[in-house]
Amino acid sequence: MVRGDVADIEIRLLVEALYLRYAHDFRDYSRASLRRRVLHACERMDQPTVSALQEKVLHDESAFTELLQYLTVPVSEMFRDPDYYLAVREHVVPILRTYPSLKVWVAGCSTGEEAYSLAILLHEEGLLERTLLYATDINPRSLERARQGVFPLDAMKGYTANYQRAGGREGLAAYYTAGYDRAIFQRELRQRITFADHSLATDSVFAETQFVSCRNVLIYFNRPLQDRALGLFRESLVHRGFLGLGSKETLEFSSHARGFEAVAQRERLYRKVGGTT
Ligand SMILES: C[S@@+](CC[C@H](N)C(=O)[O-])C[C@H]1O[C@@H](n2cnc3c(N)ncnc32)[C@H](O)[C@@H]1O
């Protein structure tokens, strides 16, 4: 047996152990990228083998929290893919205006950049005051950072460029206070967002929503888990509600494909249609 095969066995045992010990379910994550991330974690956490890593995280909860940082890819950006936000302004906002109150779910929100971007967009469209945003993730460290609404000041230049290309109406600086090397986003934005722990792999739907934005999360899942997540979004969305995905994600091969129609195909914006299959 070659060494690679042993690592694959160890990774299967590791994800089983994580599920049994911490109820975090990585069993249906895309195998190749999970493998890369586990091996990277071994290096960074100074563990000679995946089995050694498994032993460590089983007995040491803080090691599990550290491993979670490698397994979950907590990278994000404000107004990432500006065309997506332009398409939200163009296609989603006019319909959202017709509702007296709104719920928006940002699934896999990481450190909050996507949720704050949508809150700013909704504010500029005069809709934030009637909106509750639910922003969920499985990484407690990311959620804590998201709740604080504090981002590195040196990221603001790039975020401002994104914001302008996304149809921003002010200057991004209108929404934060700069302090030393940090940008602290307004309390008025933070107050409209509830950050909460929720797993697309194990949890169920918790609210009826008009718009679900789940970007750059499904790429890490295998097909059955993508279908599970899309099923949750479909169940959560009101009739004719909107779904936004990441630029490398598609509904095309999903068992839920017929439950949605494309609103802006290139920007991965979809709308729920009737029917149950
Ligand atoms: C690359 S980030 C995407 C962040 C943001 N949506 C964006 O597009 O900038 C992927 C996020 O998905 C989260 N994630 C991974 N598995 C998840 C699951 N089962 N349920 C919910 N979120 C998950 C990770 O913790 C991570 O924060």
Side-chain angles (χ1 to χ4, degrees):
M1 183 178 272
V2 294
R3 198 171 178 283
D5 296 334
V6 174
D8 283 342
I9 294 167
E10 288 177 299
I11 291 167
R12 283 172 70 173
L13 294 171
L14 171 71
V15 294
E16 204 61 46
L18 295 180
Y19 182 57
L20 294 172
R21 172 77 169 86
Y22 297 105
H24 271 274
D25 192 355
F26 291 96
R27 293 175 300 178
D28 278 326
Y29 281 49
S30 146
R31 200 148 281 177
S33 77
L34 184 66
R35 183 189 157 91
R36 271 196 309 278
R37 281 174 287 129
V38 169
L39 296 179
H40 178 64
C42 281
E43 255 176 61
R44 300 303 298 267
M45 294 172 71
D46 214 10
Q47 298 302 309
T49 61
V50 179
S51 300
L53 178 69
Q54 176 182 319
E55 186 179 352
K56 187 166 174 63
V57 296
L58 275 177
H59 297 282
D60 176 355
E61 214 168 322
S62 66
F64 170 66
T65 309
E66 191 183 347
L67 174 61
L68 209 48
Q69 308 317 308
Y70 298 112
L71 296 190
T72 54
V73 197
V75 288
S76 192
E77 223 177 88
M78 288 188 96
F79 295 96
R80 184 179 196 173
D81 306 323
D83 287 348
Y84 172 77
Y85 292 90
L86 270 180
V88 170
R89 281 194 201 262
E90 185 182 343
H91 300 285
V92 182
V93 162
I95 308 298
L96 294 187
R97 276 192 209 296
T98 64
Y99 291 91
S101 68
L102 295 165
K103 287 188 180 138
V104 174
W105 178 13
V106 182
C109 66
S110 188
T111 36
E113 290 83 342
E114 183 182 346
Y116 285 101
S117 304
L118 285 172
I120 289 169
L121 185 156
L122 291 167
H123 165 73
E124 293 186 352
E125 298 293 342
L127 292 175
L128 186 62
E129 291 63 31
R130 67 174 101 155
T131 305
L132 280 178
L133 289 112
Y134 297 103
T136 59
D137 205 282
I138 56 168
N139 185 333
R141 212 181 267 179
S142 296
L143 286 169
E144 195 39 50
R145 285 187 50 198
R147 271 183 207 109
Q148 289 166 4
V150 177
F151 300 99
L153 197 56
D154 59 13
M156 291 304 131
K157 195 166 166 222
Y159 292 176
T160 300
N162 283 354
Y163 163 80
Q164 279 158 355
R165 287 175 50 211
R169 306 238 165 100
E170 308 269 335
L172 190 60
Y175 298 101
Y176 66 81
T177 313
Y180 298 103
D181 53 353
R182 306 177 319 157
I184 304 157
F185 275 74
Q186 281 175 357
R187 187 205 301 238
E188 289 72 16
L189 297 174
R190 278 182 279 144
Q191 277 173 339
R192 306 307 304 177
I193 313 172
T194 300
F195 289 100
D197 179 78
H198 179 278
S199 172
L200 296 167
T202 50
D203 292 324
S204 36
V205 164
F206 56 88
E208 187 180 69
T209 55
Q210 281 80 18
F211 177 27
V212 176
S213 187
C214 180
R215 312 199 66 227
N216 308 300
V217 180
L218 298 186
I219 33 169
Y220 300 106
F221 296 172
N222 69 11
R223 190 70 54 76
L225 186 51
Q226 290 178 359
D227 277 345
R228 183 187 197 278
L230 290 166
L232 294 182
F233 303 152
R234 204 170 158 195
E235 199 185 327
S236 167
L237 284 168
V238 295
H239 178 61
R240 307 293 286 149
F242 291 90
L243 171 67
L245 301 178
S247 61
K248 297 190 190 75
E249 295 160 338
T250 175
L251 277 176
E252 214 177 321
F253 307 108
S254 161
S255 62
H256 295 287
R258 285 196 292 159
F260 293 90
E261 65 188 18
V263 169
Q265 180 66 50
R266 208 165 47 90
E267 289 79 17
R268 304 293 193 261
L269 262 185
Y270 304 89
R271 196 163 184 196
K272 183 173 161 177
V273 294
T276 50
T277 53

mmCIF file of all heavy atoms in Angstrom, residues 195-215:
data_model
loop_
_atom_site.group_PDB
_atom_site.id
_atom_site.type_symbol
_atom_site.label_atom_id
_atom_site.label_comp_id
_atom_site.label_asym_id
_atom_site.label_seq_id
_atom_site.Cartn_x
_atom_site.Cartn_y
_atom_site.Cartn_z
ATOM 1 N N PHE A 195 -25.471 37.038 14.180
ATOM 2 C CA PHE A 195 -24.483 36.019 13.807
ATOM 3 C C PHE A 195 -24.713 34.786 14.672
ATOM 4 O O PHE A 195 -24.822 34.897 15.897
ATOM 5 C CB PHE A 195 -23.061 36.561 14.012
ATOM 6 C CG PHE A 195 -22.691 37.614 13.011
ATOM 7 C CD1 PHE A 195 -22.754 38.964 13.337
ATOM 8 C CD2 PHE A 195 -22.299 37.264 11.726
ATOM 9 C CE1 PHE A 195 -22.422 39.945 12.409
ATOM 10 C CE2 PHE A 195 -21.968 38.242 10.783
ATOM 11 C CZ PHE A 195 -22.029 39.575 11.136
ATOM 12 N N ALA A 196 -24.808 33.630 14.067
ATOM 13 C CA ALA A 196 -25.136 32.429 14.842
ATOM 14 C C ALA A 196 -24.478 31.181 14.259
ATOM 15 O O ALA A 196 -24.206 31.103 13.054
ATOM 16 C CB ALA A 196 -26.651 32.244 14.871
ATOM 17 N N ASP A 197 -24.273 30.233 15.153
ATOM 18 C CA ASP A 197 -23.727 28.943 14.768
ATOM 19 C C ASP A 197 -24.809 28.119 14.049
ATOM 20 O O ASP A 197 -25.909 27.954 14.584
ATOM 21 C CB ASP A 197 -23.271 28.231 16.046
ATOM 22 C CG ASP A 197 -22.708 26.870 15.752
ATOM 23 O OD1 ASP A 197 -21.573 26.805 15.304
ATOM 24 O OD2 ASP A 197 -23.438 25.866 15.940
ATOM 25 N N HIS A 198 -24.509 27.657 12.866
ATOM 26 C CA HIS A 198 -25.459 26.806 12.128
ATOM 27 C C HIS A 198 -24.664 26.042 11.090
ATOM 28 O O HIS A 198 -23.862 26.624 10.362
ATOM 29 C CB HIS A 198 -26.519 27.671 11.435
ATOM 30 C CG HIS A 198 -27.513 26.876 10.637
ATOM 31 N ND1 HIS A 198 -27.245 26.428 9.348
ATOM 32 C CD2 HIS A 198 -28.751 26.425 10.943
ATOM 33 C CE1 HIS A 198 -28.289 25.744 8.914
ATOM 34 N NE2 HIS A 198 -29.217 25.724 9.858
ATOM 35 N N SER A 199 -24.903 24.720 11.037
ATOM 36 C CA SER A 199 -24.184 23.912 10.051
ATOM 37 C C SER A 199 -25.119 23.477 8.932
ATOM 38 O O SER A 199 -26.190 22.907 9.187
ATOM 39 C CB SER A 199 -23.591 22.664 10.702
ATOM 40 O OG SER A 199 -23.068 21.833 9.681
ATOM 41 N N LEU A 200 -24.677 23.700 7.717
ATOM 42 C CA LEU A 200 -25.450 23.254 6.557
ATOM 43 C C LEU A 200 -25.398 21.736 6.430
ATOM 44 O O LEU A 200 -26.185 21.147 5.697
ATOM 45 C CB LEU A 200 -24.903 23.914 5.283
ATOM 46 C CG LEU A 200 -25.045 25.439 5.252
ATOM 47 C CD1 LEU A 200 -24.212 26.042 4.125
ATOM 48 C CD2 LEU A 200 -26.517 25.834 5.103
ATOM 49 N N ALA A 201 -24.486 21.103 7.169
ATOM 50 C CA ALA A 201 -24.346 19.644 7.101
ATOM 51 C C ALA A 201 -25.240 18.926 8.098
ATOM 52 O O ALA A 201 -25.648 17.789 7.856
ATOM 53 C CB ALA A 201 -22.888 19.259 7.344
ATOM 54 N N THR A 202 -25.575 19.583 9.216
ATOM 55 C CA THR A 202 -26.298 18.849 10.269
ATOM 56 C C THR A 202 -27.554 19.552 10.777
ATOM 57 O O THR A 202 -28.396 18.906 11.401
ATOM 58 C CB THR A 202 -25.369 18.591 11.486
ATOM 59 O OG1 THR A 202 -24.749 19.822 11.847
ATOM 60 C CG2 THR A 202 -24.312 17.565 11.175
ATOM 61 N N ASP A 203 -27.683 20.864 10.575
ATOM 62 C CA ASP A 203 -28.815 21.588 11.159
ATOM 63 C C ASP A 203 -29.962 21.742 10.161
ATOM 64 O O ASP A 203 -29.798 21.489 8.971
ATOM 65 C CB ASP A 203 -28.355 22.959 11.661
ATOM 66 C CG ASP A 203 -27.412 22.814 12.856
ATOM 67 O OD1 ASP A 203 -27.633 21.897 13.666
ATOM 68 O OD2 ASP A 203 -26.454 23.597 12.959
ATOM 69 N N SER A 204 -31.104 22.200 10.712
ATOM 70 C CA SER A 204 -32.252 22.379 9.817
ATOM 71 C C SER A 204 -32.575 23.868 9.640
ATOM 72 O O SER A 204 -31.872 24.726 10.171
ATOM 73 C CB SER A 204 -33.459 21.595 10.327
ATOM 74 O OG SER A 204 -33.499 21.618 11.718
ATOM 75 N N VAL A 205 -33.646 24.121 8.934
ATOM 76 C CA VAL A 205 -34.036 25.494 8.629
ATOM 77 C C VAL A 205 -34.563 26.171 9.891
ATOM 78 O O VAL A 205 -35.224 25.544 10.707
ATOM 79 C CB VAL A 205 -35.120 25.464 7.526
ATOM 80 C CG1 VAL A 205 -35.853 26.784 7.434
ATOM 81 C CG2 VAL A 205 -34.483 25.116 6.195
ATOM 82 N N PHE A 206 -34.253 27.446 10.067
ATOM 83 C CA PHE A 206 -34.651 28.144 11.300
ATOM 84 C C PHE A 206 -35.509 29.374 11.043
ATOM 85 O O PHE A 206 -35.993 29.992 11.982
ATOM 86 C CB PHE A 206 -33.395 28.547 12.091
ATOM 87 C CG PHE A 206 -32.458 29.395 11.267
ATOM 88 C CD1 PHE A 206 -32.605 30.764 11.225
ATOM 89 C CD2 PHE A 206 -31.462 28.795 10.485
ATOM 90 C CE1 PHE A 206 -31.771 31.545 10.433
ATOM 91 C CE2 PHE A 206 -30.628 29.573 9.694
ATOM 92 C CZ PHE A 206 -30.781 30.946 9.668
ATOM 93 N N ALA A 207 -35.703 29.761 9.777
ATOM 94 C CA ALA A 207 -36.503 30.970 9.508
ATOM 95 C C ALA A 207 -36.997 30.951 8.074
ATOM 96 O O ALA A 207 -36.413 30.293 7.210
ATOM 97 C CB ALA A 207 -35.657 32.222 9.735
ATOM 98 N N GLU A 208 -38.055 31.680 7.861
ATOM 99 C CA GLU A 208 -38.546 31.884 6.492
ATOM 100 C C GLU A 208 -37.882 33.155 5.959
ATOM 101 O O GLU A 208 -37.931 34.206 6.611
ATOM 102 C CB GLU A 208 -40.064 32.055 6.517
ATOM 103 C CG GLU A 208 -40.672 32.110 5.144
ATOM 104 C CD GLU A 208 -42.172 32.267 5.203
ATOM 105 O OE1 GLU A 208 -42.651 33.349 5.605
ATOM 106 O OE2 GLU A 208 -42.876 31.308 4.845
ATOM 107 N N THR A 209 -37.254 33.058 4.803
ATOM 108 C CA THR A 209 -36.457 34.182 4.303
ATOM 109 C C THR A 209 -36.885 34.570 2.891
ATOM 110 O O THR A 209 -37.438 33.757 2.145
ATOM 111 C CB THR A 209 -34.955 33.800 4.279
ATOM 112 O OG1 THR A 209 -34.797 32.609 3.506
ATOM 113 C CG2 THR A 209 -34.426 33.550 5.680
ATOM 114 N N GLN A 210 -36.559 35.816 2.529
ATOM 115 C CA GLN A 210 -36.837 36.284 1.164
ATOM 116 C C GLN A 210 -35.609 36.162 0.271
ATOM 117 O O GLN A 210 -35.720 36.166 -0.949
ATOM 118 C CB GLN A 210 -37.276 37.764 1.190
ATOM 119 C CG GLN A 210 -38.720 37.997 1.584
ATOM 120 C CD GLN A 210 -38.938 37.928 3.074
ATOM 121 O OE1 GLN A 210 -37.996 38.031 3.860
ATOM 122 N NE2 GLN A 210 -40.175 37.720 3.487
ATOM 123 N N PHE A 211 -34.444 36.090 0.916
ATOM 124 C CA PHE A 211 -33.197 36.078 0.138
ATOM 125 C C PHE A 211 -32.152 35.279 0.924
ATOM 126 O O PHE A 211 -31.930 35.543 2.097
ATOM 127 C CB PHE A 211 -32.741 37.530 -0.091
ATOM 128 C CG PHE A 211 -31.433 37.703 -0.828
ATOM 129 C CD1 PHE A 211 -30.949 36.762 -1.726
ATOM 130 C CD2 PHE A 211 -30.680 38.867 -0.632
ATOM 131 C CE1 PHE A 211 -29.744 36.958 -2.407
ATOM 132 C CE2 PHE A 211 -29.477 39.073 -1.309
ATOM 133 C CZ PHE A 211 -29.020 38.105 -2.194
ATOM 134 N N VAL A 212 -31.557 34.287 0.261
ATOM 135 C CA VAL A 212 -30.435 33.543 0.853
ATOM 136 C C VAL A 212 -29.198 33.808 0.008
ATOM 137 O O VAL A 212 -29.220 33.640 -1.219
ATOM 138 C CB VAL A 212 -30.707 32.018 0.864
ATOM 139 C CG1 VAL A 212 -29.475 31.272 1.384
ATOM 140 C CG2 VAL A 212 -31.917 31.673 1.718
ATOM 141 N N SER A 213 -28.124 34.235 0.655
ATOM 142 C CA SER A 213 -26.864 34.426 -0.047
ATOM 143 C C SER A 213 -25.864 33.443 0.547
ATOM 144 O O SER A 213 -25.551 33.511 1.736
ATOM 145 C CB SER A 213 -26.391 35.878 0.157
ATOM 146 O OG SER A 213 -25.259 36.146 -0.650
ATOM 147 N N CYS A 214 -25.441 32.493 -0.251
ATOM 148 C CA CYS A 214 -24.493 31.473 0.234
ATOM 149 C C CYS A 214 -23.379 31.373 -0.793
ATOM 150 O O CYS A 214 -23.494 30.653 -1.784
ATOM 151 C CB CYS A 214 -25.183 30.129 0.418
ATOM 152 S SG CYS A 214 -24.029 28.850 1.004
ATOM 153 N N ARG A 215 -22.293 32.102 -0.559
ATOM 154 C CA ARG A 215 -21.269 32.240 -1.580
ATOM 155 C C ARG A 215 -19.974 31.572 -1.136
ATOM 156 O O ARG A 215 -19.534 31.722 -0.002
ATOM 157 C CB ARG A 215 -21.025 33.726 -1.883
ATOM 158 C CG ARG A 215 -22.337 34.501 -2.115
ATOM 159 C CD ARG A 215 -22.099 35.797 -2.852
ATOM 160 N NE ARG A 215 -21.626 35.540 -4.196
ATOM 161 C CZ ARG A 215 -20.601 36.153 -4.756
ATOM 162 N NH1 ARG A 215 -19.925 37.071 -4.092
ATOM 163 N NH2 ARG A 215 -20.214 35.835 -5.982
#
